[in-house]
Amino acid sequence: MQISEHTRIAVIGSGTMGAGIAQLAASAGHPVQLYDISPAATARGLESIARSLQGRVDKGRLTPEAYQATLGRLHAADQLTDLADADIVIEAAAEKLEVKQQLFRALAEICAPQTLLTTNTSSISVTAIASGIAHPGRIAGLHFFNPAPVMKLVEVVKGLDSDSQTIESLCQLAGRWGKTAVRCQSTPGFIVNRVARPYYAEAWRALEEQVAPAAVIDAALRDGARFPMGPLELTDLIGQDVNFAVTCSVFNAFWQERRFLPSLVQQELVLAGKWGRKSQQGVYRWPRQHDELPVVRALPQEAAASLQRQGGPGMWLNGMARLTAHLSQSDLVADVPFLELDEVLVMATNGESAQQLARRYNRPVVVLDLADDYVNTPLVVMAAAATNRPDQTAKAIHFFQQQDKQVLLVADYPGLLAWRTVAMLVNEALDAVQKGVASADDIDVAMRLGVNYPHGPLAWGESLGWQRVLTVLENLQKHYGEERYRPSSLLRERALMEKHYEQ
Ligand code: 3HC
């Protein structure tokens, strides 16, 4: 199919995603029909589009003429049969297989055989949706990310019967709409909703284990590791109901694979109707108040210590070296980055607790969480061994405060907040590569553009060091005795290769 502005688009479902997609299509110049089960729901969808476009006018991003022209291209469809002339249908209705199958069966009768029938499903099998429908070659997944007008990615999902021309036409459509398309197979969660599961799961676990309040967990990932939003505030944006449903769907589709286990805390929010921004209450109350983070207040000069040595590999050390200048390196703790402040050993977490490390080295230990850039990070998250004296932990806190960093001291939690999350993201991305979900490049592009991660997880794993990622996961697996942290076999292979080339 040749895509142009004359290509007629129909969107089914006028919720957050449906309305966002219809807005995108109309902004790209297409005639658009919006359909929902009740005309009142369709009207609400059109109103929310008008509000969103008005916001663009108010910001001076859209002229009043363009606003009128865009709204003029949007039409409510009262019945499904009104979609008979559509060239491309994008379904963004309820995330239930029966609902989608029923819709696709009806659409196959109503629309011409060449009409492309697509689904914005987050995690339901495209193959299952297309099953038993006439001309299944024109059925595929077209998965957008919230907020659809803003996020740059579209996953074009190939079901078992999707034609390659269908996939090419949809990639062309995404390009016309200013999006980057990645191709992937119809596997549970596709790329982003599979690889991103640990981003949410590790945050729920930290909340369940009472490691830190929600705002601290979010700050560690957002301000420390430089994700665009913390995991818990992001679930409030996505909707607790939607995010929980995706997790359950991926968990069940993988035959109850334990690493995708849904969270009981999140289930409670869903059951209580606390769905996030759209219901003004989720993990947080919305509109959100500014959270005062419990950062450690500035310590006096008495806490100062002298820097004895530093060591360790890679990115961390480069950042630290720029902070600390001209210190001799040492192989005291082999491949884990560290600093010595008098007798205190300050180390990047390796997936063990500070207390375990204090016992091994028989000295006070402070462990640091992952920061994307230790020179520029505004926030350093750390944990101290329980056997440290307060003045010993204070030496590490003071050191970073002197570099104009805010310091958050959290419970002594193996792998801390960001490091264990990133290790799990890297691991999941490798698993997806190994299972042929998509190419390695497309997986990295998908995570950078679909959820705006600061790095693709594969590039991130490489720069952190595969062996370090493996060590963190192995230590977490030992700590919990759980299958959840099992390293992917591809990670083991890469760590071996890395060692090989180091020699
Ligand atoms: N709707 C429309 N436009 C929005 C918006 C929304 N909800 N939120 C922000 N924007 C627009 C703003 O108007 C602004 O436009 P402008 O540049 O023309 O002024 C632009 O986006 C940037 O917004 P902000 O200035 O508020 O900038 P931020 O830097 O805070 O970015 C963000 C906002 C893009 C939402 C960023 O926080 C982010 O990337 N968050 C992560 C979002 C994410 O991961 N989404 C995917 C969720 S998973 C999913 O959808 C899959 C599904 O299957 C569940």
Side-chain angles (χ1 to χ4, degrees), residues 343-413:
E343 76 282 28
V344 183
L345 192 54
V346 181
M347 303 171 64
T349 176
N350 67 345
E352 293 179 285
S353 66
Q355 192 54 51
Q356 267 173 294
L357 293 162
R359 223 175 126 152
R360 165 141 4 105
Y361 296 112
N362 193 27
R363 56 195 290 192
V365 168
V366 168
V367 285
L368 300 181
D369 205 356
L370 182 71
D372 191 47
D373 169 354
Y374 281 92
V375 175
N376 294 310
T377 186
L379 184 74
V380 171
V381 177
M382 60 171 65
T387 45
N388 289 5
R389 289 196 318 266
D391 64 293
Q392 292 171 327
T393 303
K395 291 180 180 182
I397 297 171
H398 185 268
F399 175 81
F400 287 101
Q401 286 180 340
Q402 288 305 103
Q403 324 280 342
D404 285 333
K405 320 262 174 238
Q406 294 202 304
V407 174
L408 274 174
L409 190 62
V410 297
D412 186 13
Y413 188 53

Side-chain angles (χ1 to χ4, degrees), residues 139-357:
I139 299 177
L142 194 62
H143 184 219
F144 292 81
F145 294 82
N146 186 0
V150 180
M151 304 305 281
K152 288 287 172 223
L153 185 79
V154 176
E155 288 176 332
V156 178
V157 186
K158 188 176 179 331
L160 216 49
D161 290 322
S162 312
D163 285 342
S164 51
Q165 301 99 291
T166 301
I167 301 299
E168 288 320 308
S169 300
L170 295 175
C171 290
Q172 204 191 326
L173 180 77
R176 263 201 112 248
W177 292 6
K179 307 285 185 194
T180 297
V182 289
R183 295 166 174 78
C184 59
Q185 302 296 328
S186 174
T187 50
F190 316 130
I191 303 174
V192 174
N193 276 337
R194 174 203 191 131
V195 175
R197 271 4 284 147
Y199 193 58
Y200 315 109
E202 290 308 313
W204 291 119
R205 169 163 249 177
L207 209 56
E208 274 163 11
E209 295 189 9
Q210 304 184 64
V211 174
V216 168
I217 298 170
D218 277 343
L221 277 295
R222 187 192 54 232
D223 304 336
R226 222 166 50 83
F227 286 88
M229 294 172 89
L232 298 168
E233 59 191 356
L234 179 55
T235 57
D236 269 356
L237 171 76
I238 294 168
Q240 298 300 338
D241 53 335
V242 173
N243 184 260
F244 183 69
V246 173
T247 302
C248 292
S249 163
V250 172
F251 174 64
N252 287 317
F254 277 106
W255 315 112
Q256 279 95 44
E257 164 67 56
R258 303 305 286 173
R259 68 182 194 276
F260 298 120
L261 190 71
S263 148
L264 293 177
V265 171
Q266 187 178 30
Q267 179 172 250
E268 285 293 287
L269 288 177
V270 174
L271 293 175
K274 296 183 177 190
W275 292 351
R277 288 194 195 191
K278 61 187 166 188
S279 62
Q280 281 88 54
Q281 168 86 65
V283 173
Y284 302 99
R285 236 175 231 298
W286 296 91
R288 184 138 168 226
Q289 306 297 322
H290 175 71
D291 301 299
E292 269 313 319
L293 281 178
V295 292
V296 186
R297 61 184 172 71
L299 295 181
Q301 193 53 33
E302 292 92 88
S306 59
L307 186 54
Q308 308 291 334
R309 282 190 297 177
Q310 65 175 37
M315 219 165 63
W316 194 89
L317 183 63
N318 295 337
M320 278 316 208
R322 278 189 282 149
L323 273 183
T324 56
H326 316 309
L327 278 158
S328 65
Q329 292 186 19
S330 140
D331 58 359
L332 176 71
V333 277
D335 55 357
V336 181
F338 74 93
L339 301 170
E340 270 184 305
L341 299 169
D342 295 340
E343 76 282 28
V344 183
L345 192 54
V346 181
M347 303 171 64
T349 176
N350 67 345
E352 293 179 285
S353 66
Q355 192 54 51
Q356 267 173 294
L357 293 162

